[in-house]
């Protein structure tokens, strides 16, 4: 596991972009992408660049159950706004949050098939304060594949800031499993801010345990962790 410590989010995103650019130049075609505040600056770097994405395939980590792609809180909408409208890809995949209303197992199976047919060359991740990756909360089996996740009360509360009312927050999501994530050839994890410091320390130097889902990355042969100084602050203790 390679650790890169940077001054701030901007410098960290620049470092991440350099890795993506080099990997694409060396033949990477399938990018596993993430949503949330952490990758936004990286996507700004990407859209401002001259990088040609027209032959690339993207596969996102997750999507809320019940939100249509044009809903401004859906991850489909997020990706269009922050990346795809400015840098069109050859093909973009996100889980089907509408099919998942009545058939979550079918939506998950469809997505597992997509991942199997398009092996991910480089996977982008963030990390939660409790060590979760994507919506894979503590206790998620390491051998899990795409599945419906019932969102925890803490996650619903945290996400309510994006909605008019907490009752509007979706109660579940379709999410890549940990085994799907680990199948990527290369993984980049970004973490910025002091609130992520304990999770980063547990991920890097703690035991490999399902109580800290991100700790499984210790078992992956090609992981780069990019943190700012605040997120790295526990590593020297």
């Amino acid at each position: 596991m390679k650790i890169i410590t940077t001054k701030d989010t901007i410098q960290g995103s620049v470092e991440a972009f350099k890795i993506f650019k080099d990997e694409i130049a060396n033949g990477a075609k399938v990018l596993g992408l993430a949503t949330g505040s952490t990758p936004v600056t990286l996507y700004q770097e990407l859209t401002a660049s001259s990088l040609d994405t027209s032959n690339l395939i993207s596969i996102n980590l997750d999507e809320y159950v019940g939100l249509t792609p044009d809903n401004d809180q859906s991850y489909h909408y997020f990706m269009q706004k922050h990346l795809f409208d400015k840098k069109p890809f050859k093909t973009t995949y996100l889980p089907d949050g509408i099919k998942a209303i009545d058939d979550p197992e079918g939506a998950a199976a469809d997505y597992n098939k997509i991942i199997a047919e398009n092996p991910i060359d480089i996977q982008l991740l963030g990390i939660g304060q409790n060590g979760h990756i994507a919506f894979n909360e503590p206790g998620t089996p390491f051998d899990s594949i795409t599945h419906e996740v019932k969102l925890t009360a803490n996650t619903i509360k945290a996400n309510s800031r994006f909605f008019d009312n907490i009752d509007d927050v979706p109660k579940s999501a379709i999410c890549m499993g940990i085994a799907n994530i680990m199948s990527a050839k290369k993984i980049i994890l970004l973490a910025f801010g002091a609130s992520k410091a304990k999770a980063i320390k547990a991920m890097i130097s703690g035991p490999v345990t399902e109580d800290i889902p991100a700790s499984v990355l210790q078992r992956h042969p090609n992981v780069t962790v990019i943190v700012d100084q605040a997120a790295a602050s526990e590593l020297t203790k």
Side-chain angles (χ1 to χ4, degrees):
M1 190 178 285
K2 180 179 180 181
I3 316 297
I4 299 174
T5 303
T6 65
K7 180 178 69 174
D8 53 25
T9 303
I10 294 174
Q11 189 180 65
S13 298
V14 169
E15 290 298 320
F17 172 70
K18 288 177 183 176
I19 295 172
F20 271 92
K21 185 178 179 182
D22 288 346
E23 291 292 321
I24 291 165
N26 288 324
K29 294 290 185 186
V30 182
L31 310 185
L33 299 180
T35 53
S37 57
T38 298
V40 167
T41 306
L42 168 59
Y43 294 155
Q44 290 172 347
E45 289 290 327
L46 203 160
T47 57
S49 75
S50 60
L51 188 67
D52 181 9
T53 59
S54 61
N55 286 318
L56 300 180
I57 295 169
S58 70
I59 301 180
N60 262 75
L61 287 167
D62 39 33
E63 178 58 287
Y64 286 122
V65 171
L67 297 191
T68 58
D70 60 352
N71 186 301
D72 64 5
Q73 295 304 325
S74 74
Y75 290 159
H76 277 81
Y77 188 96
F78 176 99
M79 293 305 301
Q80 288 296 144
K81 175 183 176 182
H82 290 286
L83 185 57
F84 301 146
D85 283 346
K86 301 163 188 173
K87 282 284 190 182
F89 280 51
K90 179 182 177 181
T91 312
T92 60
Y93 294 108
L94 288 93
D96 188 338
I98 298 304
K99 179 173 181 174
I101 296 172
D102 297 318
D103 186 13
E105 291 183 0
D110 290 346
Y111 213 58
N112 283 320
K113 186 171 185 247
I114 287 168
I115 297 166
E117 293 173 348
N118 300 275
I120 296 170
D121 293 307
I122 179 168
Q123 175 67 58
L124 177 66
L125 296 175
I127 186 172
Q129 294 181 31
N130 63 359
H132 74 237
I133 43 178
F135 279 123
N136 295 297
E137 297 286 353
T140 304
F142 285 157
D143 62 356
S144 61
I145 55 177
T146 307
H147 57 292
E148 182 182 22
V149 178
K150 303 297 184 182
L151 303 186
T152 65
N154 285 340
T155 297
I156 291 170
K157 182 179 179 181
N159 290 353
S160 66
R161 70 189 188 275
F162 301 116
F163 293 81
D164 293 334
N165 188 301
I166 193 169
D167 293 331
D168 296 334
V169 182
K171 303 303 185 288
S172 66
I174 295 292
C175 175
M176 269 193 214
I178 293 175
N180 299 118
I181 291 169
M182 290 290 284
S183 72
K185 295 171 188 170
K186 182 177 180 65
I187 294 173
I188 297 178
L189 185 142
L190 305 181
F192 305 123
S195 67
K196 302 296 177 72
K198 290 188 183 301
I200 287 295
K201 182 179 177 66
M203 177 188 76
I204 292 171
S205 58
V208 176
T209 170
E210 291 176 356
D211 292 336
I212 303 290
S215 66
V216 74
L217 299 180
Q218 294 180 37
R219 297 177 177 170
H220 194 281
N222 193 349
V223 177
T224 298
V225 178
I226 300 176
V227 288
D228 64 2
Q229 291 172 351
S233 60
E234 292 282 333
L235 294 177
T236 54
K237 295 180 180 179

